[in-house]
PDB file of all heavy atoms in Angstrom:
ATOM      1  N   TYR A 868      -5.890  -2.492   3.890  1.00 96.00           N
ATOM      2  CA  TYR A 868      -6.864  -2.382   4.919  1.00 96.00           C
ATOM      3  C   TYR A 868      -6.341  -1.584   6.162  1.00 96.00           C
ATOM      4  O   TYR A 868      -7.062  -0.829   6.744  1.00 96.00           O
ATOM      5  CB  TYR A 868      -7.282  -3.850   5.384  1.00 96.00           C
ATOM      6  CG  TYR A 868      -8.404  -3.787   6.404  1.00 96.00           C
ATOM      7  CD1 TYR A 868      -9.720  -3.686   6.078  1.00 96.00           C
ATOM      8  CD2 TYR A 868      -8.054  -3.898   7.746  1.00 96.00           C
ATOM      9  CE1 TYR A 868     -10.741  -3.608   7.055  1.00 96.00           C
ATOM     10  CE2 TYR A 868      -9.100  -3.877   8.754  1.00 96.00           C
ATOM     11  CZ  TYR A 868     -10.384  -3.779   8.395  1.00 96.00           C
ATOM     12  OH  TYR A 868     -11.348  -3.752   9.310  1.00 96.00           O
ATOM     13  N   ALA A 915     -20.420  -9.811  14.344  1.00 94.00           N
ATOM     14  CA  ALA A 915     -19.072 -10.286  14.263  1.00 94.00           C
ATOM     15  C   ALA A 915     -18.656 -10.429  12.860  1.00 94.00           C
ATOM     16  O   ALA A 915     -19.401 -10.835  11.975  1.00 94.00           O
ATOM     17  CB  ALA A 915     -18.998 -11.725  14.937  1.00 94.00           C
ATOM     18  N   PRO A 916     -17.381  -9.969  12.520  1.00 96.00           N
ATOM     19  CA  PRO A 916     -16.897 -10.060  11.122  1.00 96.00           C
ATOM     20  C   PRO A 916     -16.703 -11.519  10.726  1.00 96.00           C
ATOM     21  O   PRO A 916     -16.589 -12.438  11.523  1.00 96.00           O
ATOM     22  CB  PRO A 916     -15.609  -9.287  11.219  1.00 96.00           C
ATOM     23  CG  PRO A 916     -15.121  -9.418  12.647  1.00 96.00           C
ATOM     24  CD  PRO A 916     -16.395  -9.466  13.470  1.00 96.00           C
ATOM     25  N   PRO A 917     -16.663 -11.763   9.425  1.00 96.00           N
ATOM     26  CA  PRO A 917     -16.513 -13.136   8.916  1.00 96.00           C
ATOM     27  C   PRO A 917     -15.231 -13.889   9.372  1.00 96.00           C
ATOM     28  O   PRO A 917     -15.180 -15.072   9.522  1.00 96.00           O
ATOM     29  CB  PRO A 917     -16.584 -13.046   7.384  1.00 96.00           C
ATOM     30  CG  PRO A 917     -16.354 -11.547   7.144  1.00 96.00           C
ATOM     31  CD  PRO A 917     -16.874 -10.821   8.336  1.00 96.00           C
ATOM     32  N   ARG A 918     -14.118 -13.054   9.700  1.00 95.00           N
ATOM     33  CA  ARG A 918     -12.906 -13.674  10.172  1.00 95.00           C
ATOM     34  C   ARG A 918     -13.105 -14.377  11.520  1.00 95.00           C
ATOM     35  O   ARG A 918     -12.254 -15.235  11.918  1.00 95.00           O
ATOM     36  CB  ARG A 918     -11.810 -12.642  10.302  1.00 95.00           C
ATOM     37  CG  ARG A 918     -12.097 -11.451  11.198  1.00 95.00           C
ATOM     38  CD  ARG A 918     -10.981 -10.406  11.113  1.00 95.00           C
ATOM     39  NE  ARG A 918     -11.408  -9.168  11.688  1.00 95.00           N
ATOM     40  CZ  ARG A 918     -11.360  -8.917  12.995  1.00 95.00           C
ATOM     41  NH1 ARG A 918     -10.905  -9.821  13.824  1.00 95.00           N
ATOM     42  NH2 ARG A 918     -11.791  -7.736  13.474  1.00 95.00           N
ATOM     43  N   MET A 919     -14.134 -14.011  12.299  1.00 95.00           N
ATOM     44  CA  MET A 919     -14.370 -14.649  13.526  1.00 95.00           C
ATOM     45  C   MET A 919     -15.422 -15.823  13.446  1.00 95.00           C
ATOM     46  O   MET A 919     -15.589 -16.524  14.437  1.00 95.00           O
ATOM     47  CB  MET A 919     -14.984 -13.649  14.513  1.00 95.00           C
ATOM     48  CG  MET A 919     -14.062 -12.509  14.890  1.00 95.00           C
ATOM     49  SD  MET A 919     -14.840 -11.439  16.130  1.00 95.00           S
ATOM     50  CE  MET A 919     -13.557 -10.200  16.358  1.00 95.00           C
ATOM     51  N   LEU A 920     -16.018 -15.946  12.323  1.00 93.00           N
ATOM     52  CA  LEU A 920     -17.112 -16.961  12.204  1.00 93.00           C
ATOM     53  C   LEU A 920     -16.548 -18.294  11.802  1.00 93.00           C
ATOM     54  O   LEU A 920     -16.047 -18.516  10.712  1.00 93.00           O
ATOM     55  CB  LEU A 920     -18.102 -16.412  11.108  1.00 93.00           C
ATOM     56  CG  LEU A 920     -19.494 -17.001  11.046  1.00 93.00           C
ATOM     57  CD1 LEU A 920     -20.200 -16.771  12.405  1.00 93.00           C
ATOM     58  CD2 LEU A 920     -20.336 -16.491  10.003  1.00 93.00           C
ATOM     59  N   THR A 921     -16.637 -19.221  12.737  1.00 89.00           N
ATOM     60  CA  THR A 921     -16.204 -20.575  12.483  1.00 89.00           C
ATOM     61  C   THR A 921     -17.151 -21.348  11.587  1.00 89.00           C
ATOM     62  O   THR A 921     -18.334 -21.058  11.497  1.00 89.00           O
ATOM     63  CB  THR A 921     -16.008 -21.310  13.816  1.00 89.00           C
ATOM     64  OG1 THR A 921     -17.250 -21.362  14.435  1.00 89.00           O
ATOM     65  CG2 THR A 921     -14.949 -20.680  14.713  1.00 89.00           C
ATOM     66  N   LEU A 925     -13.179 -19.394   6.297  1.00 96.00           N
ATOM     67  CA  LEU A 925     -12.452 -18.152   6.218  1.00 96.00           C
ATOM     68  C   LEU A 925     -11.412 -18.053   7.306  1.00 96.00           C
ATOM     69  O   LEU A 925     -11.646 -18.528   8.401  1.00 96.00           O
ATOM     70  CB  LEU A 925     -13.404 -16.947   6.298  1.00 96.00           C
ATOM     71  CG  LEU A 925     -14.338 -16.752   5.082  1.00 96.00           C
ATOM     72  CD1 LEU A 925     -15.501 -15.845   5.449  1.00 96.00           C
ATOM     73  CD2 LEU A 925     -13.564 -16.236   3.869  1.00 96.00           C
ATOM     74  N   ILE A 926     -10.320 -17.354   7.003  1.00 95.00           N
ATOM     75  CA  ILE A 926      -9.250 -17.144   7.974  1.00 95.00           C
ATOM     76  C   ILE A 926      -9.009 -15.624   8.204  1.00 95.00           C
ATOM     77  O   ILE A 926      -9.442 -14.800   7.326  1.00 95.00           O
ATOM     78  CB  ILE A 926      -7.944 -17.813   7.584  1.00 95.00           C
ATOM     79  CG1 ILE A 926      -7.400 -17.241   6.233  1.00 95.00           C
ATOM     80  CG2 ILE A 926      -8.152 -19.327   7.463  1.00 95.00           C
ATOM     81  CD1 ILE A 926      -6.021 -17.706   5.886  1.00 95.00           C
ATOM     82  N   ASP A 927      -8.400 -15.240   9.298  1.00 95.00           N
ATOM     83  CA  ASP A 927      -8.052 -13.890   9.576  1.00 95.00           C
ATOM     84  C   ASP A 927      -6.630 -13.656   8.886  1.00 95.00           C
ATOM     85  O   ASP A 927      -5.596 -13.975   9.509  1.00 95.00           O
ATOM     86  CB  ASP A 927      -7.943 -13.685  11.069  1.00 95.00           C
ATOM     87  CG  ASP A 927      -7.719 -12.185  11.451  1.00 95.00           C
ATOM     88  OD1 ASP A 927      -7.251 -11.385  10.585  1.00 95.00           O
ATOM     89  OD2 ASP A 927      -7.936 -11.836  12.617  1.00 95.00           O
ATOM     90  N   THR A 928      -6.713 -13.070   7.709  1.00 96.00           N
ATOM     91  CA  THR A 928      -5.378 -12.919   6.991  1.00 96.00           C
ATOM     92  C   THR A 928      -4.413 -11.944   7.683  1.00 96.00           C
ATOM     93  O   THR A 928      -3.241 -12.100   7.624  1.00 96.00           O
ATOM     94  CB  THR A 928      -5.661 -12.463   5.574  1.00 96.00           C
ATOM     95  OG1 THR A 928      -6.349 -11.171   5.593  1.00 96.00           O
ATOM     96  CG2 THR A 928      -6.504 -13.461   4.809  1.00 96.00           C
ATOM     97  N   TYR A 937      -6.012  -5.585  14.461  1.00 84.00           N
ATOM     98  CA  TYR A 937      -6.675  -5.830  15.704  1.00 84.00           C
ATOM     99  C   TYR A 937      -5.972  -6.903  16.551  1.00 84.00           C
ATOM    100  O   TYR A 937      -5.302  -7.767  16.050  1.00 84.00           O
ATOM    101  CB  TYR A 937      -8.161  -6.330  15.454  1.00 84.00           C
ATOM    102  CG  TYR A 937      -8.913  -5.496  14.462  1.00 84.00           C
ATOM    103  CD1 TYR A 937      -9.218  -5.901  13.216  1.00 84.00           C
ATOM    104  CD2 TYR A 937      -9.337  -4.263  14.860  1.00 84.00           C
ATOM    105  CE1 TYR A 937      -9.991  -5.169  12.350  1.00 84.00           C
ATOM    106  CE2 TYR A 937     -10.124  -3.440  14.019  1.00 84.00           C
ATOM    107  CZ  TYR A 937     -10.418  -3.922  12.736  1.00 84.00           C
ATOM    108  OH  TYR A 937     -11.090  -3.136  11.896  1.00 84.00           O
ATOM    109  N   GLY A 938      -6.130  -6.687  17.855  1.00 75.00           N
ATOM    110  CA  GLY A 938      -5.685  -7.725  18.780  1.00 75.00           C
ATOM    111  C   GLY A 938      -6.816  -8.560  19.132  1.00 75.00           C
ATOM    112  O   GLY A 938      -7.832  -8.654  18.566  1.00 75.00           O
ATOM    113  N   PRO A 940     -10.156  -9.433  20.701  1.00 69.00           N
ATOM    114  CA  PRO A 940     -11.323  -8.520  20.918  1.00 69.00           C
ATOM    115  C   PRO A 940     -11.697  -8.369  22.417  1.00 69.00           C
ATOM    116  O   PRO A 940     -12.211  -7.339  22.834  1.00 69.00           O
ATOM    117  CB  PRO A 940     -12.493  -9.343  20.174  1.00 69.00           C
ATOM    118  CG  PRO A 940     -11.986 -10.681  19.991  1.00 69.00           C
ATOM    119  CD  PRO A 940     -10.573 -10.662  19.944  1.00 69.00           C
ATOM    120  N   GLN A 948     -14.801  -4.547  17.796  1.00 85.00           N
ATOM    121  CA  GLN A 948     -14.614  -5.499  16.668  1.00 85.00           C
ATOM    122  C   GLN A 948     -15.894  -6.165  16.271  1.00 85.00           C
ATOM    123  O   GLN A 948     -15.908  -6.960  15.356  1.00 85.00           O
ATOM    124  CB  GLN A 948     -13.568  -6.547  16.983  1.00 85.00           C
ATOM    125  CG  GLN A 948     -12.174  -5.867  17.189  1.00 85.00           C
ATOM    126  CD  GLN A 948     -11.059  -6.914  17.329  1.00 85.00           C
ATOM    127  OE1 GLN A 948     -11.067  -7.902  16.650  1.00 85.00           O
ATOM    128  NE2 GLN A 948     -10.112  -6.651  18.256  1.00 85.00           N
ATOM    129  N   THR A 993      -9.966 -10.217   3.007  1.00 97.00           N
ATOM    130  CA  THR A 993      -9.346 -10.300   4.329  1.00 97.00           C
ATOM    131  C   THR A 993     -10.317 -10.769   5.429  1.00 97.00           C
ATOM    132  O   THR A 993      -9.886 -10.916   6.548  1.00 97.00           O
ATOM    133  CB  THR A 993      -8.687  -8.987   4.750  1.00 97.00           C
ATOM    134  OG1 THR A 993      -9.739  -7.909   4.789  1.00 97.00           O
ATOM    135  CG2 THR A 993      -7.599  -8.525   3.869  1.00 97.00           C
ATOM    136  N   ALA A 994     -11.543 -11.010   5.045  1.00 97.00           N
ATOM    137  CA  ALA A 994     -12.560 -11.536   5.953  1.00 97.00           C
ATOM    138  C   ALA A 994     -12.885 -10.523   7.060  1.00 97.00           C
ATOM    139  O   ALA A 994     -13.283 -10.947   8.197  1.00 97.00           O
ATOM    140  CB  ALA A 994     -12.200 -12.897   6.551  1.00 97.00           C
ATOM    141  N   ASN A 995     -12.793  -9.241   6.751  1.00 96.00           N
ATOM    142  CA  ASN A 995     -13.180  -8.232   7.750  1.00 96.00           C
ATOM    143  C   ASN A 995     -14.655  -7.770   7.537  1.00 96.00           C
ATOM    144  O   ASN A 995     -15.192  -7.195   8.479  1.00 96.00           O
ATOM    145  CB  ASN A 995     -12.254  -6.997   7.647  1.00 96.00           C
ATOM    146  CG  ASN A 995     -10.945  -7.251   8.326  1.00 96.00           C
ATOM    147  OD1 ASN A 995     -10.849  -7.390   9.532  1.00 96.00           O
ATOM    148  ND2 ASN A 995      -9.841  -7.350   7.507  1.00 96.00           N
ATOM    149  N   HIS A 996     -15.233  -8.044   6.366  1.00 97.00           N
ATOM    150  CA  HIS A 996     -16.637  -7.670   6.138  1.00 97.00           C
ATOM    151  C   HIS A 996     -17.298  -8.607   5.238  1.00 97.00           C
ATOM    152  O   HIS A 996     -16.690  -9.323   4.418  1.00 97.00           O
ATOM    153  CB  HIS A 996     -16.689  -6.251   5.564  1.00 97.00           C
ATOM    154  CG  HIS A 996     -16.431  -5.127   6.537  1.00 97.00           C
ATOM    155  ND1 HIS A 996     -17.302  -4.739   7.479  1.00 97.00           N
ATOM    156  CD2 HIS A 996     -15.274  -4.366   6.703  1.00 97.00           C
ATOM    157  CE1 HIS A 996     -16.770  -3.718   8.177  1.00 97.00           C
ATOM    158  NE2 HIS A 996     -15.540  -3.579   7.750  1.00 97.00           N
ATOM    159  N   TYR A 997     -18.631  -8.666   5.337  1.00 98.00           N
ATOM    160  CA  TYR A 997     -19.524  -9.420   4.444  1.00 98.00           C
ATOM    161  C   TYR A 997     -19.886  -8.537   3.198  1.00 98.00           C
ATOM    162  O   TYR A 997     -19.802  -7.333   3.328  1.00 98.00           O
ATOM    163  CB  TYR A 997     -20.731  -9.837   5.170  1.00 98.00           C
ATOM    164  CG  TYR A 997     -20.502 -10.638   6.410  1.00 98.00           C
ATOM    165  CD1 TYR A 997     -20.421  -9.923   7.644  1.00 98.00           C
ATOM    166  CD2 TYR A 997     -20.398 -12.016   6.458  1.00 98.00           C
ATOM    167  CE1 TYR A 997     -20.219 -10.644   8.914  1.00 98.00           C
ATOM    168  CE2 TYR A 997     -20.246 -12.698   7.627  1.00 98.00           C
ATOM    169  CZ  TYR A 997     -20.139 -12.030   8.796  1.00 98.00           C
ATOM    170  OH  TYR A 997     -19.952 -12.703   9.990  1.00 98.00           O
TER     171      TYR A 997
END
Side-chain angles (χ1 to χ4, degrees):
Y868 182 83
R918 58 187 166 82
M919 295 183 182
L920 199 58
T921 58
L925 290 164
I926 62 173
D927 186 344
T928 60
Y937 308 109
Q948 296 190 39
T993 57
N995 281 291
H996 286 284
Y997 306 89

